[in-house]
Every structure is written in C-alpha cells, then in structure tokens.
Amino acid sequence: MSSMHVHVTGIGSYLPERTLTNADLEKIVDTTDSWIHERTGIRERHIIAEDQMTSDMAVEAARIALDDAGIGIDDIDALIVSTTTPDMVFPATATIVQAKLGGKDFPAWDTQAVCSGFVYGLAHADGMMRAGMFKRVLLIGAEAMSRIVNWKDRGTCVLFGDGAGAVVLEAREEEGGVLGSVLHADGSYRDLLKAHHPHPGASPDAVDFSIDAAGVAAVEMKGNEVFRVAVTKLGEVVGEILAHCHIDEDQIDWLVPHQANIRIIQATAKKLGMDMKRVSTTVRDHGNTSSASIPLALDALYREGKLQSGQHILLEAFAGGFAWGANILRWSK
Ligand code: COA
C-alpha cells in the first residue's frame, strides 16, 4: 500500500447569474412555491446562460480552485470532469476544459455516475494518485441540468439547477485528506431515473436549449420510488464508509451530502445522529445540480470559514442507475 495521501489543496465553485425561483416556475407548470419548498426544500436554482456550456462553468470553478491552491494549470497532471451534461457526445468535456484553461499534454477525461459523479471521481483520483500515477489532479463536477429536464413535467423540472465545483487534489506523504471511499451501483433500478438521447450537449446550433424547448432529452423519474431507495441506500452507505475508514459517527464534523431533497438529507443526518447545523445544505438556493452539488456544498462551508484542519467530512451521493457512494475526508487545508 502506498504511503501517499490525497489532500484537497484548492477549491472553487461557480453558479450562473440567472436564477429561477419557485414563483417563476408557477408561471411555467402547474405548481406552487409551497409544494416545492415543503416537498424538496428548494426555493430557487441557477440556470446556465444561452451562450454558456458545461465546460464554461467548469472553467470558472477550476480557475478559482487553482488560485486557491496557489498553482497554475501547468502544475496539473490530470483533469477529471464529472458530468451528466457534457458539451458534446465527444470529445470529453474535460479536454474542452483543458484547452480553455490553456493546459496541454496531461490526461483529461470525463466520468459519468450522474449525481454520484463527484464521489466516484474522488475515488478514481484517490486510487490513481495513491498508486503513484499523478501528483496533482483537478477534479470538477459541472452540470447544465436545465438542458436535459422536461420543462413541461412538474414532477422533475422543479428539482434541478446548474453549476460547477472544483477541487485541486495533491498527493503528499503527510497523513489525512481522503481516508477512503465506498461505491455501489445496481442497474436493475435503471428505469426509475433516466434521460434518453438525443443528447443535449450537441452543438448549440443543432438543438434549441432554451427553457421553453421541452423534451430535448428529458429526465424521467418515478420520484417517490427513487426517494424510498435513496433513503435506504444512503443510510446503509454512511454506516459502511464509517466502518471502512474506522471512524465513529461522533468523529464526523460535517456531512456534505448530494443536494437532491432536504428530506433525504435530513434522513441521512438523523441516521448519523448529526444536528442539521453540522450539515452543509445548499439545496434551497441551488436545487439539485447533480454531480456539481457536493463540491458546491463543500465550497460553501469553506467560504464561510467553517472548515478547520483535522475535521472529518463525510461526502455521500445517490444517483440514477442507481449509483451511490461515499467518501470521508480529513480536512488539511
Ligand atoms: N407541484 C405540485 N404538485 C406536484 C408536483 C409539483 N411540482 N410534482 C408532483 N406533484 C404531485 C403529483 O402529481 C402527485 O399528485 P397526485 O397525488 O394527485 O397524483 C403528488 O404531487 C405527489 O407526488 P409524489 O411524486 O408522490 O410526491 P413526493 O412526496 O414523492 O415528492 C419528489 C416528489 C420528486 C419531490 C420526491 O419524490 C423526491 O424528492 N424524490 C427523490 C428525487 C431524487 O432524489 N432524485 C434524484 C436522485 S439524484
């Protein structure tokens, strides 16, 4: 086993300027602010501009994370973008981000585990870095979910938002950083939450990405069934990651969950015996930004000055597939 440990040395996030409130949604579908807020905890979400792509949001978040780490793109050895809404079918959005950041030669690829993409991506990066493949990795979660929701389906369109979050990871001998990860998937649930082609990331000239263009590549979800499995599997996976990392519940200082629904987050916090004051919640203002939601929620804690070196942070996510997982970090910045 390698003696290297993978630390977060820089973090940044980006939200598009435009916001869409629940009141705005009342004009689009048959819904109410109180229904959305009571069932999900969401009040508003950010929506990507017409001339922006997923890679543009990723670049904004990455620039802040690189600055925060005090390094430039030339110091990076690999770039991973977790996204469900790539700019194009190919090349990988990570290569587009690499070019926009002026990076060259190092490997760049996308990872797709829908809302669990960041948790999966962190596990990939950690394993490869501890195996000695890379010293510094830029990991970004970036999503333009507004481009794949069906704006005529009130059961799904009220839930999602756009944004990006990025971390710079560095392999060092000093202990701490990523303590471990557990990942799961069960494709027998694949029909409960899915989005078909045509692919939304096609050229902007080919597809009408506007909010009025219903059904471009619509998300379909059996919400209440997803909810039930999510609560069960997340309850199990938090127990599993604690055992895997030999950490007790009361040693967890912060829960940074995927932000799909405040009721799912509350159920997991309860399972861990954690006060909601120790849980990063951004779902109210961001909605579900898929794989961007964890780095956005982690960055929110960081920017509020709440993270102290030595604290334990539990990340967890549940996604279409289903794919789910968790990581524990010992903060070392
Ligand atoms: N506004 C008003 N009414 C709505 C609505 C909306 N936006 N969306 C659905 N409804 C209605 C339904 O039509 C249904 O009406 P009916 O009883 O007359 O048939 C009623 O509300 C209840 O629908 P249901 O889907 O059972 O509600 P719910 O309490 O399960 O809440 C979700 C719906 C989507 C908020 C919830 O199931 C959820 O969060 N699921 C998990 C989502 C998730 O985590 N997805 C991503 C994983 S990454």
Side-chain angles (χ1 to χ4, degrees), residues 29-32 35-36 39-40 114-116 153-156 158-160 193 221-228 230 258 260-261 263-264 288 290 318-320 322:
V29 284
D30 179 15
T31 192
T32 59
W35 191 96
I36 300 171
R39 301 284 180 124
T40 70
V114 213
C115 302
S116 295
D153 175 14
R154 67 178 183 172
T156 52
V158 303
L159 303 174
F160 295 95
L193 177 52
M221 179 171 69
K222 297 201 169 80
N224 46 14
E225 291 178 51
V226 175
F227 188 96
R228 273 197 296 277
H258 168 49
N261 184 316
R263 294 184 293 138
I264 298 177
N288 179 349
S290 191
F318 187 82
F322 293 143

Side-chain angles (χ1 to χ4, degrees), residues 27-76:
K27 295 176 203 137
I28 300 175
V29 284
D30 179 15
T31 192
T32 59
D33 170 53
S34 62
W35 191 96
I36 300 171
H37 190 248
E38 275 162 30
R39 301 284 180 124
T40 70
I42 301 167
R43 287 278 193 211
E44 62 178 31
R45 65 290 288 145
H46 291 253
I47 303 289
I48 193 167
E50 257 182 72
D51 60 354
Q52 278 181 312
M53 298 294 278
T54 294
S55 61
D56 297 313
M57 296 191 293
V59 163
E60 296 292 338
R63 286 205 171 109
I64 299 168
L66 288 167
D67 271 1
D68 188 47
I71 61 169
I73 190 66
D74 294 340
D75 300 307
I76 291 296

